[in-house]
Amino acid sequence: MAQRKPTITDVARTAGVSKGLVSFALNDKPGVSPETRKRILDIAGDLGWRPSLSARSLSTSTSYALGLVIRRKAEVISADPFFPAFIAGVESVLAEEGRALVLSVVPDAAAELRSYRTLAGDNRVDGVFLTDLRNADERFGLLAELGLPAVALGRPDPAVPFPSVQLDDTRGIAEAVAHLASLGHSRIAHVAGDPHMMHGGRRRSSFDDAMRDAGLDPALVVETDFSASSGADATRRLLDDVRPPTAIVYANDPMAIAGLGVAQQRGLRVPHDLSITGFDGTDISGYVYPALTTITSDPVEWGRVAARSLLELVASGSVDSVELPPASLLIRASTGPAPSHRGSDAAHS
């Protein structure tokens, strides 16, 4: 038989006080002496009492949950380590606060907007995280209309009406290009992300600017949906070129690892014949062979900071945007000097 959970009545009986006094103490309301409050809290802890979120929600008109709606293909989410790491950071904060994360993965824009309307209409969440910011993003107007607090993830356009947790990812891309150029590479390609997402377009622009700064042609670019499969397809296209690149800068680690596999299947030696860089600094990137040169960020800390920001916004009605340390290049074994002419020809064989 399952053990009955202790209730506020049990706490009051053990402490020898009224349920009303226990409620005041547990909810940190005035009218309870510090000594009595401490005794009640200690007894509640000893009994293993935990607050009922449903009861608290009814009494405070608060859901005690935050929402995250991700509009991407399920297979992209399952293969991209960023989101699990980000969610782990969020959960580490929410667990301490006795709150929950409501996650919804949707396939398209219509489903995404419906999801936000449902979350707000059913009072299921007190606020939401906005990820994968887009140009002319319909969510901005909808969330303002719904009155749903939101914190944006990433470096938004000045027109975004929400506070944000930002990370400068442009410097990392520029460092990757400069690193490869210093190694003698001139045919450098970029496997870019979705251009409709602000961070995908921003990384593409950073690549273009860095290539021009190095006196190189930024024409070798293939746009993708950030999935590993599209990264592999893009790599095949680039290596099939009459003059294939000697280095490829990928917009995330999963695509870079997929590209690494394609290169090795073709008999190319990385980095002797082809240099490869990723983005995100995922844990697995250090264990592939050769270990991946990548642009590091910290998605777990991003999740922690975003959760604290959104909780503060919900509680006080305002919060300042936060600038995280910029992404930076971590050089490992997947990049090396540009190959000889004979070596670069091997990429097309």
Side-chain angles (χ1 to χ4, degrees), residues 298-315:
D298 188 347
V300 174
E301 180 62 15
W302 205 337
R304 291 192 190 103
V305 174
R308 295 189 193 106
S309 295
L310 186 50
L311 288 173
E312 175 63 25
L313 178 63
V314 170

Side-chain angles (χ1 to χ4, degrees), residues 3 16 22 50 52 66-67 75-76 97 216-217 219 239 277 307 312:
Q3 186 175 3
V22 171
R50 294 290 183 273
S52 165
L66 302 179
E75 56 269 27
V76 175
E97 299 291 330
L216 303 175
D217 185 357
L239 296 183
T277 72
E312 175 63 25

Side-chain angles (χ1 to χ4, degrees), residues 16 79 111 130 135 147 177 182 242 250 277 279 288 293:
L130 272 183
N135 299 310
V177 171
S182 73
V242 174
Y250 292 82
T277 72
F279 196 111
V288 296
T293 293

Side-chain angles (χ1 to χ4, degrees), residues 273-289:
D273 299 319
L274 178 70
S275 285
I276 287 176
T277 72
F279 196 111
D280 282 332
T282 55
D283 186 59
I284 191 64
S285 68
Y287 295 97
V288 296
Y289 182 79

Side-chain angles (χ1 to χ4, degrees), residues 47-127:
L47 292 176
W49 177 87
R50 294 290 183 273
S52 165
L53 286 183
S54 59
R56 290 171 67 191
S57 297
L58 288 173
S59 64
T60 64
S61 299
T62 301
S63 70
Y64 293 95
L66 302 179
L68 174 61
V69 181
I70 304 175
R71 182 180 127 196
R72 292 204 192 187
K73 297 177 182 176
E75 56 269 27
V76 175
I77 299 295
S78 65
D80 189 343
F82 174 85
F83 283 105
F86 174 81
I87 290 170
V90 170
E91 289 282 16
S92 70
V93 173
L94 298 190
E96 294 177 355
E97 299 291 330
R99 297 183 182 242
L101 178 68
V102 177
L103 173 65
S104 180
V105 178
V106 296
D108 53 46
E112 182 180 42
L113 298 180
R114 283 198 304 270
S115 185
Y116 285 114
R117 290 191 181 96
T118 299
L119 291 174
D122 294 345
N123 293 317
R124 294 183 60 191
V125 298
D126 300 318

Side-chain angles (χ1 to χ4, degrees), residues 14 76 133 160 186 219 238 301-302 341:
T14 304
V76 175
L133 302 180
V160 176
S186 58
L238 290 168
E301 180 62 15
W302 205 337
H341 178 72

Side-chain angles (χ1 to χ4, degrees), residues 37-347:
R37 189 188 310 278
K38 182 178 184 306
R39 186 166 65 88
I40 290 172
L41 293 176
D42 288 344
I43 289 172
D46 292 341
L47 292 176
W49 177 87
R50 294 290 183 273
S52 165
L53 286 183
S54 59
R56 290 171 67 191
S57 297
L58 288 173
S59 64
T60 64
S61 299
T62 301
S63 70
Y64 293 95
L66 302 179
L68 174 61
V69 181
I70 304 175
R71 182 180 127 196
R72 292 204 192 187
K73 297 177 182 176
E75 56 269 27
V76 175
I77 299 295
S78 65
D80 189 343
F82 174 85
F83 283 105
F86 174 81
I87 290 170
V90 170
E91 289 282 16
S92 70
V93 173
L94 298 190
E96 294 177 355
E97 299 291 330
R99 297 183 182 242
L101 178 68
V102 177
L103 173 65
S104 180
V105 178
V106 296
D108 53 46
E112 182 180 42
L113 298 180
R114 283 198 304 270
S115 185
Y116 285 114
R117 290 191 181 96
T118 299
L119 291 174
D122 294 345
N123 293 317
R124 294 183 60 191
V125 298
D126 300 318
V128 294
F129 303 100
L130 272 183
T131 186
D132 291 339
L133 302 180
R134 304 178 191 93
N135 299 310
D137 203 316
E138 294 180 274
R139 295 174 296 175
F140 302 157
L142 174 63
L143 293 178
E145 174 190 326
L146 296 173
L148 196 57
V151 166
L153 309 179
R155 182 175 295 277
D157 182 274
V160 176
F162 306 109
S164 63
V165 179
Q166 308 173 11
L167 180 145
D168 182 3
D169 50 9
T170 59
R171 193 179 82 176
I173 292 287
E175 288 179 351
V177 171
H179 167 63
L180 293 169
S182 73
L183 293 170
H185 293 275
S186 58
R187 294 278 294 171
I188 303 173
H190 181 40
V191 175
D194 187 339
H196 297 101
M197 296 182 186
M198 287 184 178
H199 67 289
R202 192 168 53 247
R203 293 176 191 179
R204 163 72 186 272
S205 296
S206 179
F207 173 81
D208 290 351
D209 292 343
M211 289 289 285
R212 293 190 184 99
D213 288 344
L216 303 175
D217 185 357
L220 286 178
V221 176
V222 180
E223 293 175 344
T224 71
D225 62 2
F226 280 112
S227 69
S229 61
S230 67
D233 290 341
T235 305
R236 295 186 189 98
R237 287 175 56 186
L238 290 168
L239 296 183
D240 285 340
D241 193 276
V242 174
R243 294 183 61 227
T246 63
I248 305 177
V249 175
Y250 292 82
N252 69 9
D253 282 356
M255 293 198 297
I257 292 170
L260 179 64
V262 168
Q264 292 176 337
Q265 287 170 357
R266 294 191 173 206
L268 299 180
R269 295 165 295 171
V270 176
H272 183 79
D273 299 319
L274 178 70
S275 285
I276 287 176
T277 72
F279 196 111
D280 282 332
T282 55
D283 186 59
I284 191 64
S285 68
Y287 295 97
V288 296
Y289 182 79
L292 185 66
T293 293
T294 185
I295 298 158
T296 63
S297 61
D298 188 347
V300 174
E301 180 62 15
W302 205 337
R304 291 192 190 103
V305 174
R308 295 189 193 106
S309 295
L310 186 50
L311 288 173
E312 175 63 25
L313 178 63
V314 170
S316 68
S318 66
V319 68
D320 292 332
S321 293
V322 178
E323 183 81 28
L324 296 173
S328 59
L329 184 67
L330 174 61
I331 299 173
R332 294 196 181 114
S334 68
T335 51
S340 64
H341 178 72
R342 181 179 179 183
S344 68
D345 283 347

